[in-house]
């Protein structure tokens, strides 16, 4: 008896692509009906024409989702999409809609589809939950993969905590996250408030999925696409291979001491469930436990720290700190990634032109989104945010939640001029030390830190 082989043939950019049932592909959308789907949240119009799923934007309705009735955990999904200029869309996966959570609002991972100049198509957004997990700010090739005004081919691999995306065979996202293991897949028509966008469409076709023997089908990883991990107190295999290590082990005082002490402070700091918290003491700078610093010094490095601030809180991450300076009252001296509630703490209005706001090089350079006009991507008070500091020689960068907000050369004349007009003007060689300690600041407000990790160059 001859084995029967079923072939599904479709066209991507003029190239004929063959999908075989023997390769474990299944048709997710049959091009004829939506009996395996249900519409959630908004009431934008969905219809089927020419084997395409077509969503039409509607004014003043929430985000609309055409969701699978079936839940999917690990999978590989491929589809083609055409979105009219000006619209924002996406494909949800491992997503949830429960009456007991946000009154049924869809939340979960979304692979971005957009036509804006920001160019984050293929990035990973966490709808109605954690916001941007993988913007394409660090992936120039990925930013240029999506081509407006034509059909684009997407691939999403979600296998365990590894989530990767490709647009037109260019890798866009390389995310490690374990927030949700299973959920539905849904095709989004984004809500609009601009009447000029009403009636515009987003169209999908050739929607196919694999759910078995996935590791055999995984695409090779582009080594130029950064891996971003949100695993708590764990280093990925790739992080270990590329030299990352934890600066704080999540449970002990090893590797840290008080900035003005030989040991770790006996009060003012709390360690619990992998979170390091400086406790509130009424807003007095270094008046309780005091700042803490690493026992090691660093020169060229990449530092990543998750932080969570309470309402009205002030703190900071300092680097190139010399703990022998300023033995008196107040904080130790060093370059500072500002950690602040910009809305409620008065320090945000001090300094010059916002140079004391969250993400700023404190009192020297204001934090701002250097790649778009959409703000600096702060996720909010009470939520976890990520501070990333990169130092290579004189070149220094501050990143807030994967968006670059500050860039400078600490050996330049411009930097020296900034220092001379700041509160640091009396500190000789400020910010120009060949190496220094890393510091977490006690500014008298409750602020938490976790996943404190570093690699040296």
């Amino acid at each position: 008896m001859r084995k029967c082989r079923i072939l599904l043939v479709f066209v991507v950019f003029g190239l004929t692509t063959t999908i075989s049932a023997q390769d474990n592909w299944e048709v997710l959308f049959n091009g004829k009906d939506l009996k395996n789907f249900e519409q959630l949240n908004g009431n934008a119009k969905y219809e089927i024409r020419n084997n395409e799923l077509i969503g039409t934007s509607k004014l003043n309705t929430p985000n609309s989702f055409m969701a699978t009735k079936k839940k999917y955990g690990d999978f590989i999904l491929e589809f083609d999409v055409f979105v009219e200029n000006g619209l924002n869309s996406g494909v949800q996966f491992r997503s949830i809609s429960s009456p007991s959570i946000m009154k049924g609002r869809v939340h979960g991972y979304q692979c971005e589809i957009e036509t804006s100049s920001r160019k984050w198509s293929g990035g990973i957004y966490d709808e109605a939950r954690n916001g941007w997990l993988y913007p394409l700010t660090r992936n120039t090739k990925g930013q240029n993969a999506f081509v407006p005004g034509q059909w684009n081919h997407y691939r999403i691999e979600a296998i365990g905590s590894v989530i990767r995306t490709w647009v037109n065979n260019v890798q866009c996202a390389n995310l490690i996250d374990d927030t949700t293991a299973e959920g539905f897949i849904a095709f989004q028509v984004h809500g609009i408030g601009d009447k000029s966008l009403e009636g515009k469409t987003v169209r999908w076709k050739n929607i196919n999925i694999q759910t078995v023997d996935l590791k055999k089908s995984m695409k090779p990883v582009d080594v130029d696409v950064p891996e971003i991990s949100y695993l708590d107190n764990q280093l990925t295999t790739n992080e270990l291979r590329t030299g990352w290590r934890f600066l704080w082990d999540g449970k002990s005082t090893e590797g840290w001491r008080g900035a003005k002490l030989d040991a770790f402070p006996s009060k003012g700091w709390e360690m619990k469930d992998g979170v390091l918290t400086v406790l509130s003491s009424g807003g007095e700078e270094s008046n309780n436990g005091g700042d803490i610093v690493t026992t090691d010094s660093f020169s060229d490095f990449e530092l990543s720290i998750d932080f969570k601030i309470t309402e009205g809180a002030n703190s900071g991450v300092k680097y190139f700190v010399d703990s022998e300076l300023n033995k008196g009252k107040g904080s130790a001296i060093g370059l500072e990634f500002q950690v602040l509630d910009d809305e409620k703490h008065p320090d945000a209005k001090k300094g010059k032109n916002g140079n004391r706001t969250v993400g700023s090089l404190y009192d020297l350079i204001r934090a701002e989104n250097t790649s778009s006009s959409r703000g600096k991507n702060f996720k909010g008070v009470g939520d976890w945010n990520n501070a990333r500091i990169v130092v290579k020689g004189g070149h220094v960068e501050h990143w807030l939640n994967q968006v670059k907000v500050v860039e400078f050369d600490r050996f330049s004349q411009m930097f020296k001029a900034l220092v001379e007009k700041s509160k640091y003007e009396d500190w000789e060689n400020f910010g120009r030390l060949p190496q220094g300690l890393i510091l977490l600041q006690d500014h008298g407000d409750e602020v938490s830190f976790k996943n404190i990790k570093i690699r040296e160059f």
Side-chain angles (χ1 to χ4, degrees):
M1 181 181 293
R2 296 179 64 185
K3 293 183 178 179
C4 178
R5 180 170 180 170
I6 302 172
L7 298 179
L8 304 174
V9 180
F10 58 93
V11 176
V12 181
F13 296 116
L15 299 175
T16 299
T17 302
T18 302
I19 287 183
S20 169
Q22 291 185 348
D23 294 328
N24 300 313
W25 285 101
E26 305 171 29
V27 174
L28 190 68
F29 166 62
N30 62 18
K32 299 177 180 179
D33 59 60
L34 295 170
K35 65 182 181 181
N36 296 321
F37 293 80
E38 60 181 336
Q39 187 165 345
L40 300 172
N41 296 177
N43 56 9
K45 181 181 178 181
Y46 288 88
E47 58 186 325
I48 299 170
R49 292 201 307 265
N50 300 321
N51 296 316
E52 297 172 9
L53 173 62
I54 302 174
T56 303
S57 58
K58 184 176 181 180
L59 195 65
N60 298 326
T61 189
N63 293 347
S64 303
F65 302 91
M66 186 58 66
T68 60
K69 295 177 181 177
K70 181 178 178 180
K71 294 180 179 179
Y72 294 88
D74 290 359
F75 65 86
I76 298 174
L77 177 71
E78 292 195 354
F79 59 88
D80 299 328
V81 63
F82 187 108
V83 58
E84 290 194 72
N85 190 50
L87 286 188
N88 177 286
S89 180
V91 171
Q92 297 289 136
F93 58 97
R94 290 182 177 174
S95 293
I96 300 165
S97 175
S98 171
S100 63
I101 306 174
M102 296 183 286
K103 297 180 180 181
R105 183 175 177 182
V106 168
H107 58 283
Y109 302 119
Q110 179 189 124
C111 185
E112 178 77 353
I113 300 168
E114 68 165 9
T115 59
S116 78
S117 59
R118 182 177 62 178
K119 297 184 177 181
W120 286 4
S121 283
I124 304 297
Y125 181 75
D126 198 356
E127 174 82 12
R129 193 168 57 183
N130 294 315
W132 277 103
L133 299 177
Y134 201 108
L136 299 192
T137 46
R138 297 168 58 192
N139 182 0
T140 303
K141 285 192 294 185
Q143 286 182 329
N144 294 311
F146 183 89
V147 183
Q150 68 178 44
W151 286 97
N152 288 269
H153 184 66
Y154 273 64
R155 178 183 175 99
I156 303 170
E157 295 183 357
I159 303 171
S161 61
V162 178
I163 300 172
R164 295 171 179 151
T165 67
W166 286 260
V167 175
N168 299 326
N169 209 36
V170 176
Q171 187 171 357
C172 292
N174 187 8
L175 172 68
I176 310 296
D177 188 83
D178 60 359
T179 302
T180 307
E182 182 184 71
F184 56 72
I185 293 169
F187 300 87
Q188 183 201 57
V189 176
H190 202 283
I192 58 168
D194 183 349
K195 189 170 179 58
S196 69
L197 297 177
E198 188 169 28
K200 290 195 173 187
T201 62
V202 54
R203 298 148 57 193
W204 294 273
K205 66 180 181 179
N206 302 325
I207 306 170
N208 300 286
I209 195 167
Q210 287 188 45
T211 58
V212 296
D213 294 330
L214 298 177
K215 291 188 177 180
K216 295 179 181 178
S217 301
M218 293 176 70
K219 288 177 68 71
V221 176
D222 185 338
V223 296
D224 293 327
V225 178
E227 178 188 89
I228 299 176
S229 173
Y230 291 85
L231 301 183
D232 279 339
N233 298 306
Q234 300 177 59
L235 293 175
T236 68
T237 300
N238 181 68
E239 284 176 324
L240 290 169
R241 181 182 61 81
T242 53
W244 286 95
R245 65 182 176 91
F246 281 117
L247 265 185
W248 178 55
D249 62 15
K251 58 186 177 182
S252 76
T253 63
E254 184 177 355
W256 294 83
R257 63 173 176 84
K260 300 175 184 180
L261 302 171
D262 293 329
F264 198 86
S266 60
K267 63 176 183 177
W269 290 83
E270 178 183 79
M271 300 177 186
K272 185 178 180 181
D273 299 329
V275 176
L276 176 62
T277 301
V278 56
L279 302 177
S280 174
S281 59
E284 292 293 325
E285 184 177 345
S286 298
N287 200 42
N288 193 14
D291 301 339
I292 59 173
V293 295
T294 56
T295 54
D296 292 335
S297 294
F298 301 90
S299 51
D300 288 1
F301 61 87
E302 180 178 0
L303 174 70
S304 176
I305 300 179
D306 294 336
F307 67 90
K308 181 169 63 174
I309 61 176
T310 53
E311 187 174 306
N314 186 348
S315 183
V317 178
K318 296 187 180 184
Y319 50 106
F320 291 106
V321 172
D322 182 350
S323 60
E324 294 302 310
L325 297 176
N326 191 28
K327 283 291 191 177
K329 189 177 180 180
S331 185
I333 300 300
L335 298 172
E336 179 178 355
F337 183 112
Q338 173 75 313
V339 173
L340 192 78
D341 179 355
D342 290 353
E343 296 298 321
K344 297 291 181 69
H345 197 284
D347 213 29
K349 307 296 189 295
K350 298 179 181 179
K352 295 180 181 178
N353 302 319
N355 64 7
R356 295 187 181 185
T357 58
V358 65
S360 296
L361 177 63
Y362 178 76
D363 209 49
L364 295 169
I365 302 176
R366 178 183 68 245
E368 54 189 352
N369 189 332
T370 60
S371 57
S372 80
S373 60
R374 297 196 182 197
K376 54 189 178 183
N377 204 34
F378 179 64
K379 294 187 177 182
V381 171
D383 293 319
W384 286 104
N385 291 269
N386 178 260
R388 176 173 175 256
I389 302 168
V390 183
V391 180
K392 293 183 177 180
H395 188 84
V396 183
E397 298 173 356
H398 286 188
W399 294 70
L400 178 61
N401 296 319
Q402 312 306 325
V403 171
K404 185 163 62 176
V405 292
V406 167
E407 185 171 18
F408 65 99
D409 184 340
R410 66 192 184 100
F411 297 136
S412 68
Q413 287 183 313
M414 182 63 70
F415 176 77
K416 186 176 181 180
L418 288 172
V419 172
E420 290 172 350
K421 296 181 181 296
S422 76
K423 64 185 292 185
Y424 300 114
E425 62 178 332
D426 294 332
W427 299 100
E428 186 178 354
N429 210 30
F430 174 80
R432 298 185 171 201
L433 300 176
Q435 62 182 15
L437 308 174
I438 291 169
L439 176 150
L440 301 181
Q441 187 183 42
D442 171 13
H443 208 290
D445 299 313
E446 182 178 322
V447 177
S448 296
F449 304 92
K450 67 176 182 177
N451 299 323
I452 306 171
K453 55 190 176 184
I454 196 167
R455 65 171 174 173
E456 299 177 76
F457 303 118

